[in-house]
Amino acid sequence: MKCDTCGKESTEVKRVVLDAGYDRTLAKALYNCPDCYQKKEDTKKSKKPTQD
């Protein structure tokens, strides 16, 4: 399989479609290798507002 983000061959790719406040059901499917997946998850987490 190939990562749609970096183009690297990988034995595993992932895609998050639904999550709290995140809905990509109508978006073009992009599958990510574990490295790109983790980078995207980290980016999403850093954009979430913190609760005080």
Side-chain angles (χ1 to χ4, degrees), residues 2-50:
K2 189 179 275 192
C3 176
D4 290 324
T5 301
C6 70
K8 175 172 70 174
E9 291 286 329
S10 180
T11 58
E12 171 185 29
V13 292
K14 297 180 180 183
R15 176 180 183 224
V16 174
V17 179
L18 292 173
D19 199 356
Y22 186 82
D23 181 351
R24 302 296 290 171
T25 53
L26 299 176
K28 179 184 176 205
L30 294 176
Y31 295 89
N32 294 282
C33 67
D35 291 337
C36 289
Y37 177 84
Q38 190 59 53
K39 287 176 192 171
K40 286 182 122 181
E41 287 297 300
D42 291 345
T43 300
K44 282 194 288 188
K45 288 176 187 170
S46 69
K47 289 182 179 179
K48 283 186 179 178
T50 56

